[in-house]
């Protein structure tokens, strides 16, 4: 009986102890749940009211740091720039700026060149970083990407330098030649020779100024404001007529074909300037007694039919390293030859801008010593194609449409420059 009483007493004591332990464990668990954790410190409620909304609409990359330099809030742009990695700010100079601002409350700003992730050396990300205190414990970091702005500024600076150089050359030549003419007033032959050189330099200066005006126009004007259906055969005829004299002097045969019943949609003046520049380049860079071909065709594309116009020559060709740069302003594959032909280095840049503004593109195929093919791909005027059979240009007879011309030009030749390697002997 005593044994049973002792067992019962032990069981009662054990039950009381179990209850006490359970109550203590429950209260400890509640206390732990109410205690702020590291994770809870980094959630949005830590931010002052309204700050989260403001940060979400800022164009700059935003990062909020706490007193331990941990990231409380970071915009998606900050992650895209590689500023935040693994929940921490990855740029040491910015961390040091944040610590200094947290210590003295001063607003700081600095421009930095950061290595771009996943790229080789030499490619840097230019940023402007501004740090300011946010409340009593937080620091706000705003980072703006300046890479594109710097690139545009460099392009503008190079453009001004190139224009200054290109203008200085003919102007200086005219000044010297005018002095030579004055000094040779007693020698009619010398005066005639110097005057001829002055005409050449004046023509070069005029061409440069005109191409600068054309380039500025195609960059600033919206071609769709004055867009209209433009007949490809008319553009080709105009380009051929523009180069007729140069081609005749060098005995270059110009052949065109496949242009009938094709129409482009865009600004006629800009399209004529682009195609004219391509044909003029082909003639200028082709040896004497060779051939320049212009061909057009319709190609099917997902966004609508395109018109391809290819200009092929049998000239000096373009090397692989120069192909990527031929459309840059003032870039010349052969500077000495360009100056001899009066080239300014702006023609292909104008072609590129016209193609881009008309939602098209220009490409080049070339092989050194064999020649080059430049191809314009531009949207077709769909409505104009439906009217092509009924819409005839007044005053254009059958012989003209068949392309019967004089001298060095033959239109409507079955010339196919699109298979570029086959057209060069």
């Amino acid at each position: 009986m005593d044994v049973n009483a002792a067992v019962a007493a032990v069981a009662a004591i054990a039950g009381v102890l179990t209850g006490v332990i359970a109550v203590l464990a429950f209260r400890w668990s509640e206390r732990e749940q109410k205690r702020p954790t590291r994770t809870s410190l980094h959630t949005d409620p830590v931010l002052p009211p309204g700050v989260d909304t403001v940060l979400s609409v800022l164009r700059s990359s935003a990062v909020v740091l706490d007193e331990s330099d941990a990231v409380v809030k970071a915009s998606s742009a900050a992650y895209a720039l590689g500023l935040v990695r693994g929940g921490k700010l990855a740029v040491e100079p910015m961390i040091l700026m944040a610590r200094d601002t947290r210590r003295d409350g001063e607003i700081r700003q600095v421009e930095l060149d950061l290595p771009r992730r996943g790229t080789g050396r030499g490619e840097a990300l230019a940023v402007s970083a501004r740090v300011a205190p946010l409340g009593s414990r937080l620091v706000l970091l705003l980072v703006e990407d300046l890479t594109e702005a710097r690139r545009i500024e460099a392009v503008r600076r190079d453009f001004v330098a190139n224009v200054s150089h290109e203008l200085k050359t003919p102007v200086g030549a005219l000044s010297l030649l005018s002095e030579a003419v004055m000094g040779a007033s007693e020698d009619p032959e010398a005066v005639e020779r110097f005057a001829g050189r002055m005409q050449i330099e004046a023509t070069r200066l005029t061409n440069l100024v005109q191409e600068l005006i054309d380039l500025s126009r195609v960059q600033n004007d919206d071609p769709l404001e004055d867009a209209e259906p433009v007949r490809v055969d008319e553009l080709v005829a105009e380009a051929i007529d523009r180069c007729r004299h140069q081609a005749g002097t060098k005995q270059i045969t110009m052949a065109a074909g496949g242009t009938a019943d094709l129409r482009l949609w865009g600004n006629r003046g800009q399209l004529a300037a682009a195609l004219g520049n391509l044909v003029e380049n082909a003639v200028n860079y082709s040896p004497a007694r060779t051939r320049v071909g212009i061909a057009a065709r319709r190609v099917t594309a997902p966004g609508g039919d395109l018109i391809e116009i290819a200009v092929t020559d049998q000239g000096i060709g373009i090397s692989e390293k120069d192909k990527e740069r031929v459309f840059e302003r003032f870039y010349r594959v052969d500077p000495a030859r360009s100056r001899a032909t009066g080239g300014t280095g702006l023609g292909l840049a104008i072609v590129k801008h016209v193609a881009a503004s008309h939602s098209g593109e220009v490409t080049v195929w070339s092989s050194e010593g064999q020649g080059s093919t430049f191809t314009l791909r531009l949207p077709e005027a769909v409505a104009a194609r439906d009217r092509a059979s009924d819409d005839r240009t007044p005053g254009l007879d059958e012989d003209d449409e068949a392309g019967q011309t004089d001298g060095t030009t033959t239109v409507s030749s079955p010339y196919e420059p699109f298979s570029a390697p086959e057209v060069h002997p």
Side-chain angles (χ1 to χ4, degrees), residues 229-232 261-265 307 379-381 384 387-388 391:
V230 182
R231 290 179 52 156
V232 174
D261 298 334
L262 297 180
R263 283 181 170 84
L264 299 171
W265 182 256
I307 299 298
E380 182 184 18
R387 302 192 303 267
D391 186 12

Side-chain angles (χ1 to χ4, degrees), residues 59-62 81 83 94 109-112 114 125-130 141-147 149:
R59 297 181 60 183
S60 303
S61 303
L81 289 178
L83 303 179
M94 295 182 185
Q109 183 170 354
V110 67
E111 292 188 2
L112 301 171
L114 308 178
L125 188 68
V127 300
S128 174
R130 185 178 179 87
L141 172 66
L142 296 178
V143 180
E144 185 175 357
D145 187 359
L146 303 179
T147 307

Side-chain angles (χ1 to χ4, degrees), residues 61-133:
S61 303
V63 181
V64 178
L65 304 176
D66 63 10
E67 64 271 16
S68 61
D69 293 332
V71 176
V72 176
K73 179 74 176 180
S75 64
S76 57
Y79 286 98
L81 289 178
L83 303 179
V84 179
R85 303 174 194 170
K88 296 183 177 298
L89 186 61
V91 184
E92 186 65 25
M94 295 182 185
I95 296 177
L96 298 178
M97 287 176 58
R99 291 173 180 173
D100 293 339
T101 297
R102 187 182 301 110
R103 184 181 62 254
D104 55 24
E106 293 288 335
I107 298 176
R108 289 174 170 81
Q109 183 170 354
V110 67
E111 292 188 2
L112 301 171
D113 291 331
L114 308 178
R116 195 187 296 268
R117 298 178 62 185
T119 60
R121 298 176 61 183
E123 287 199 30
L125 188 68
V127 300
S128 174
R130 185 178 179 87
V131 180

Side-chain angles (χ1 to χ4, degrees), residues 201-398:
E201 296 299 332
T203 300
R204 178 178 297 172
L205 181 60
T206 300
N207 292 339
L208 175 59
V209 172
Q210 184 59 50
E211 290 199 343
L212 286 172
I213 294 173
D214 292 341
L215 181 60
S216 176
R217 182 179 295 117
V218 300
Q219 286 181 315
N220 297 326
D221 293 351
D222 183 3
L224 299 182
E225 289 184 358
D226 301 319
E228 60 178 329
V230 182
R231 290 179 52 156
V232 174
D233 54 359
E234 292 178 355
L235 294 177
V236 172
E238 185 174 337
I240 290 176
D241 188 64
R242 168 178 169 177
C243 305
R244 189 185 305 275
H245 176 70
Q246 298 98 306
T249 302
K250 300 172 67 175
Q251 298 180 12
I252 293 176
T253 300
M254 291 191 290
T259 61
D261 298 334
L262 297 180
R263 283 181 170 84
L264 299 171
W265 182 256
N267 184 289
R268 179 184 179 84
Q270 292 189 16
L271 294 174
L275 184 58
N277 285 342
L278 290 181
V279 176
E280 186 174 19
N281 270 7
V283 171
N284 288 338
Y285 286 91
S286 293
R289 294 178 294 278
T290 56
R291 186 183 188 186
V292 171
I294 310 166
R297 68 177 180 180
R298 180 184 296 116
V299 295
T300 302
D305 289 352
L306 300 176
I307 299 298
E308 284 188 349
I309 307 175
V311 179
T312 302
D313 63 64
Q314 295 172 301
I316 60 177
I318 306 171
S319 65
E320 288 294 331
K321 66 181 181 65
D322 290 321
K323 285 182 184 178
E324 297 180 357
R325 302 193 60 189
V326 292
F327 297 103
E328 294 180 12
R329 289 173 288 190
F330 295 109
Y331 184 79
R332 296 181 176 93
V333 175
D334 186 349
R337 186 179 181 90
S338 295
R339 293 193 181 279
T341 59
T344 62
L346 290 174
L348 291 180
I350 293 175
V351 175
K352 178 182 177 181
H353 280 290
V354 170
S357 63
H358 284 75
S359 302
E361 64 174 351
V362 58
T363 58
V364 58
W365 172 94
S366 186
S367 179
E368 289 187 273
Q370 295 188 29
S372 307
T373 296
F374 287 84
T375 304
L376 269 173
R377 295 184 181 89
L378 300 168
E380 182 184 18
V382 179
R385 189 209 308 176
D386 298 335
R387 302 192 303 267
S389 58
D390 299 325
D391 186 12
R392 310 284 289 185
T393 301
L396 187 66
D397 56 29
E398 295 299 325

Side-chain angles (χ1 to χ4, degrees), residues 44 47-57:
D44 291 344
L47 297 176
V51 172
D52 193 12
T53 303
V54 173
L55 295 181
S56 64
V57 298

